[in-house]
Amino acid sequence: MTESLIESDETTQAILAAALEQFGHHGFQATRLTAVAREAGVSRPTLYARFESKTELLRAVVQGLNSDSLERARQAAAKEDALEARLSRVVLAYYGDSHRALHGLPHIAELAQAHGPLVREITDKSEASLRALLLTVLPEDCGALTSKRALDLLVLSPAGLKAGGASPKVYQARLRGLATAVAHAVES
């Protein structure tokens, strides 16, 4: 039920935006659906007509964030350019924009930990799609790297690049550096 609603009407989008804000600022346990409904400008029955539970609402929020990131990455990959520029755009679109949107929300890490299996399931599917997309950007012959290693670097490294509570600006610079390093290794 929830998956089809992600692309749905303005009311659903308002609920999802309000839920992200509430979950991010208060955590899953402390978030009240009454507060989500109030922030979205809808009644609780309207919210419950779209989402059966707080867990389903969290699932929809995470799916929406991942879908948005993947769509931005697809658009970035569609622009023909030098490998370094394309990889940089794709990685920044997928990881950088989300980090900027979530940076400063104090309970985002807690949500990922407390609901690890739910978040991991959605994220794994999204990362598999990102890998498939990156394969269309990378050349068939990846030079010094195998395509698997190049994909691993581009998909797994961004989590470590957030170390030290990197600001969005610092994180984006690190992502560009990653894309540059992979492009140079592939082209060598």
Side-chain angles (χ1 to χ4, degrees):
M1 175 179 165
T2 305
E3 282 187 47
S4 64
L5 290 173
I6 290 175
E7 299 173 13
S8 190
D9 60 49
E10 289 179 27
T11 299
T12 301
Q13 294 305 317
I15 292 168
L16 293 173
L20 174 60
E21 195 69 20
Q22 290 292 314
F23 289 143
H25 283 290
H26 306 290
F28 184 80
Q29 294 301 324
T31 292
R32 300 290 169 247
L33 293 182
T34 303
V36 173
R38 183 176 35 252
E39 187 171 326
V42 301
S43 66
R44 281 188 69 207
T46 298
L47 189 147
Y48 278 109
R50 287 168 167 77
F51 304 98
E52 296 172 0
S53 67
K54 192 164 38 168
T55 300
E56 283 304 309
L57 182 56
L58 177 62
R59 176 186 298 279
V61 167
V62 174
Q63 284 175 329
L65 289 171
N66 279 282
S67 293
D68 291 349
S69 293
L70 197 53
E71 182 54 34
R72 285 191 304 273
R74 283 187 184 114
Q75 291 173 4
K79 297 175 186 171
E80 290 295 326
D81 206 348
L83 179 62
E84 180 180 336
R86 285 181 79 196
L87 286 177
S88 184
R89 274 197 314 273
V90 170
V91 170
L92 283 168
Y94 187 82
Y95 293 105
D97 291 346
S98 295
H99 183 263
R100 186 174 43 250
L102 300 176
H103 188 74
L105 294 178
H107 291 276
I108 290 300
E110 174 247 326
L111 288 172
Q113 283 182 332
H115 298 280
L118 169 85
V119 172
R120 192 77 246 155
E121 171 194 337
I122 296 165
T123 304
D124 285 349
K125 288 179 184 176
S126 183
E127 285 180 357
S129 296
L130 176 62
R131 283 176 180 273
L133 175 64
L134 285 167
L135 277 176
T136 68
V137 174
L138 290 167
E140 285 186 37
D141 177 13
C142 286
L145 290 176
T146 65
S147 59
K148 182 186 180 333
R149 285 189 180 144
L151 288 172
D152 283 347
L153 284 169
L154 292 166
V155 174
L156 300 176
S157 297
L161 297 177
K162 293 179 188 176
S167 70
K169 186 176 181 177
V170 168
Y171 184 56
Q172 289 178 351
R174 290 174 178 175
L175 289 171
R176 278 191 287 282
L178 171 66
T180 298
V182 170
H184 288 225
V186 165
E187 292 174 332
S188 65

